[in-house]
Structures are given as C-alpha cells and as structure tokens.
Amino acid sequence: IIRVYGPGGQWPEIWLSIKKTLHYDSARLLPDPLSRLKALEGLTAPSNILAEIRSYAFLDPWRHSELHTGGYEEKMEKIQGKVVHLGELSAVESGVLEDLGAEIWEAHSNALLWFGEGLAKGSKNQFSVFDRLVKSFERYGSEKMHPTVFSGFIRGVHDTSPAQAQEMLEQALEMAIFRNHAVYLITAIPINSWASAKLLELARGGEHEAGRFQLLSYGLAHEAIPDGEFSSLLSAINALEKGYLTTIELLRMRFFNLAAQNYFPNDDLRAVARDTIRKLIAEHQSPGQHLWEYELDEILAIGLGSSAPANEVREIIERLCEGIENCRLYAVKLRQVTQT
C-alpha cells in the first residue's frame, strides 16, 4: 500500500508516522526491520516542492517528531525557516499556487502563516501575488475554509512596507469573500489607528458575532489599542448578543498582571468593566455556564474599586439581589462577585 500510495511525499501522514517510529524506536529494532523502515522513510519522503509544502506547511509543526526531544526552539526555527523558504519559492515558481488549488485554504495549520510570509518575502511584485491569492480564494474559498495563508502574506508585506500592507487590507475588506474573516485579517498586522477604527466600525455594524472579536486577546493584539479606543470598541461588543462574554475575556487579558505592566486602566475602561459586570448579572442564566467560570477577579477589582461611583455599585448590587431572589442566579456560584 505504501509503495503504491506513498512514494515521493504523496502521503505525508505515513511519512511522518515512519519518521516517528524511527525517532523513538530505532534503538530497539533489529537490523533488518530497521533497514527496511529506513528504506520506506526514504521512499515516502517529499521529493518535490508540492510534496514538501503538503508535508511542512499543511501539517501542524508538532507532527514532526524531532520537536519532542530537546533543542525545541532551534528545531522549530529550522522548520519555520523551511516553510518560509517554500513560500519564497512558490512566489517565483510558476504554477505552484495554482497546482495547490483548494488545498491551500483547506489545510488547518499555523505553519501556513509562515508560508504566507515567505510568499511576501519572495515576491518581486507583492501586489501580483496578492491578486493571485485573492483569485484563488474567490475560486476555492467557502465558509469551511480559512485565509491563513493570506493573513501570513499580509504580515510578511507589513514587515517591509506597513503602508502597502494596510492598502492590501483595505482592498481585501471591501471584498465579499473576506467579509466573514475581517477581524481575523485585521489582526494580521499590529493594530494602528486605522485598524482600531475599522474594528469599531465592524462591531457597531452588528454583522459579526461577538465571539469573532476574541481574536484580539491572542498574541496580545489588544495591547496596541489605546484605552479610549479600546473602551469604545468594548462598548460596541457589549451591545452585541452575548457580547459581554467576549468583553470579559478581553478585559481579563487587558488587566492581567497590571503591576508588571506598569499600567492602570483609565476611567473609561473601568466604566466598561462595570457595564460588563452589570450585563453579566442582568443577562446571565444559571442553567448554562456558571459565573465562576469566567475568572472575574481582575475585572471586579478594577471595575468595583474604591473610585467606582456609588450609584453604579448600588445598581449592580440591586441586580445581583434580584437575580438571586428570582432564582435566576445562585449565591453559591457568585462568591467572586459577593466577596468583592
């Protein structure tokens, strides 16, 4: 079966499985089976650029067994460098992106970000590659596919020309094919005033569900947004259905380890924290997820600190008592709130 379906990298999963066996079990194997296994590894190893892309960019890096034993950072950098180089080659070798077809959008691997960065790095005309990626996503993209490569490409363009990366993003966000991925694509670059304003526009537009904005908590993307702009964005997210759940996560990340950051939230952001607590208490239904699962400590400490307006704190207490009296909330699940 392997000789029929696996030669030259046609079956990346079997190649990785053989590599894994050799990596962990070589010392225990007898000479004959060890020799045959090495021969199979050579037979199934990727033998051309398309096979290498499928074996390194389309699969999660953790699938490579060499990462699991010592020298992790150096080995991961080596894999990253290889994937970036494959992207560079694909930018100049005619037909590679076209031959990959839908696969480039179907694969689920963070290594595709590196591949996209390589496309940007290797292209002599980045707008030409931009157009090729757009046309490919138009042809093959669907609700089930994800523009990871496109995000990596924008990130790679930003490394050499932030203005050009923003221009590409502005064009992409006007295209219907990328509408559902707008928040994800904006986070491909460090968030500047344009990106912050665009995020606010998306939140106020109500077209995107609140959960999509949780991407801002990944990689500390939110830290580049000033408190005033972040407060406006969170208020808009709070207005979305169940938006307070996303806001809680974003505030939790924003308020994490404040002392080490030498940072204290401004009045607007502390007001948003109180508004989020109010919404949580007012809209939460205990039969679902429990309040204590939201890790509210930092949010409660900042929002309900000594400087909090007494009338707002009173309102929160009243809503809390109402929820308990009507059996919508349960005191045993509210220790974080009641203790505060």
Side-chain angles (χ1 to χ4, degrees):
I1 292 175
I2 291 175
R3 293 185 184 279
V4 173
Y5 296 105
Q10 297 179 57
W11 192 355
E13 288 81 1
I14 200 66
W15 173 61
L16 290 175
S17 296
I18 293 170
K19 278 181 58 182
K20 182 177 180 180
T21 301
L22 285 170
H23 184 78
Y24 288 110
D25 298 329
S26 290
R28 295 196 295 266
L29 292 174
L30 295 173
D32 182 56
L34 178 60
S35 175
R36 285 186 290 161
L37 200 59
K38 287 180 177 180
L40 283 177
E41 193 276 332
L43 176 70
T44 57
S47 59
N48 56 58
I49 186 171
L50 293 177
E52 286 195 298
I53 291 169
R54 292 181 178 113
S55 299
Y56 285 94
F58 287 5
L59 297 177
D60 192 287
W62 278 100
R63 298 286 300 278
H64 293 272
S65 54
E66 60 266 31
L67 288 177
H68 298 278
T69 52
Y72 165 79
E73 291 185 4
E74 180 180 348
K75 292 174 182 176
M76 181 63 86
E77 287 178 2
K78 184 177 180 180
I79 291 176
Q80 179 179 354
K82 183 173 185 64
V83 175
V84 170
H85 181 61
L86 289 170
E88 293 179 74
L89 294 176
S90 300
V92 296
E93 290 197 17
S94 177
V96 173
L97 291 179
E98 291 71 20
D99 288 341
L100 291 171
E103 292 178 78
I104 200 171
W105 311 114
E106 292 173 341
H108 296 280
S109 168
N110 286 332
L112 287 168
L113 291 170
W114 303 333
F115 183 74
E117 290 175 12
L119 286 173
K121 187 176 180 181
S123 59
K124 296 180 181 178
N125 184 338
Q126 292 178 328
F127 267 104
S128 175
V129 176
F130 172 83
D131 290 337
R132 288 166 64 192
L133 289 172
V134 168
K135 289 176 181 177
S136 177
F137 198 72
E138 282 180 331
R139 180 177 180 182
Y140 299 110
S142 73
E143 288 295 320
K144 295 182 180 180
M145 298 184 183
H146 202 266
T148 311
V149 170
F150 192 77
S151 176
F153 174 74
I154 296 295
R155 181 187 298 179
V157 173
H158 184 273
D159 287 342
T160 56
S161 177
Q164 187 164 288
Q166 181 174 317
E167 184 180 351
M168 289 178 177
L169 265 181
E170 289 174 353
Q171 291 185 29
L173 295 179
E174 294 297 322
M175 301 175 188
I177 54 171
F178 293 121
R179 183 175 294 122
N180 290 335
H181 306 286
V183 178
Y184 172 73
L185 291 178
I186 289 172
T187 59
I189 63 173
I191 296 177
N192 56 18
S193 58
W194 169 82
S196 177
K198 193 65 181 179
L199 288 167
L200 179 59
E201 177 187 325
L202 292 172
R204 286 176 172 170
E207 185 177 348
H208 298 270
E209 61 184 26
R212 290 185 182 273
F213 292 90
Q214 195 161 322
L215 287 166
L216 295 170
S217 67
Y218 304 160
L220 304 178
H222 63 90
E223 288 193 350
I225 307 176
D227 275 6
E229 295 175 17
F230 197 49
S231 299
S232 297
L233 176 59
L234 294 182
S235 293
I237 294 172
N238 263 345
L240 300 173
E241 183 178 0
K242 297 292 184 182
Y244 63 88
L245 299 181
T246 294
T247 301
I248 285 171
E249 181 60 23
L250 292 172
L251 285 173
R252 193 174 67 83
M253 296 301 295
R254 186 76 161 203
F255 296 164
F256 178 73
N257 201 13
L258 291 178
Q261 297 182 55
N262 192 27
Y263 156 77
F264 191 76
N266 71 2
D267 291 344
D268 291 339
L269 202 51
R270 297 202 299 275
V272 170
R274 289 190 294 277
D275 184 51
T276 304
I277 296 166
R278 275 195 298 270
K279 284 184 172 293
L280 176 63
I281 293 172
E283 299 180 24
H284 181 77
Q285 300 291 330
S286 281
Q289 196 171 20
H290 299 303
L291 287 174
W292 53 267
E293 295 175 355
Y294 299 138
E295 300 183 26
L296 299 170
D297 289 350
E298 296 91 350
I299 301 170
L300 291 167
I302 296 298
L304 302 180
S306 58
S307 62
N311 62 315
E312 293 188 34
V313 176
R314 188 181 306 111
E315 181 186 355
I316 290 172
I317 293 172
E318 289 172 354
R319 291 192 181 190
L320 182 61
C321 292
E322 174 272 325
I324 294 173
E325 289 173 1
N326 294 329
C327 298
R328 181 171 55 80
L329 304 171
Y330 296 100
V332 69
K333 304 297 185 184
L334 297 169
R335 287 176 183 167
Q336 282 181 302
V337 180
T338 54
Q339 286 176 358
T340 302

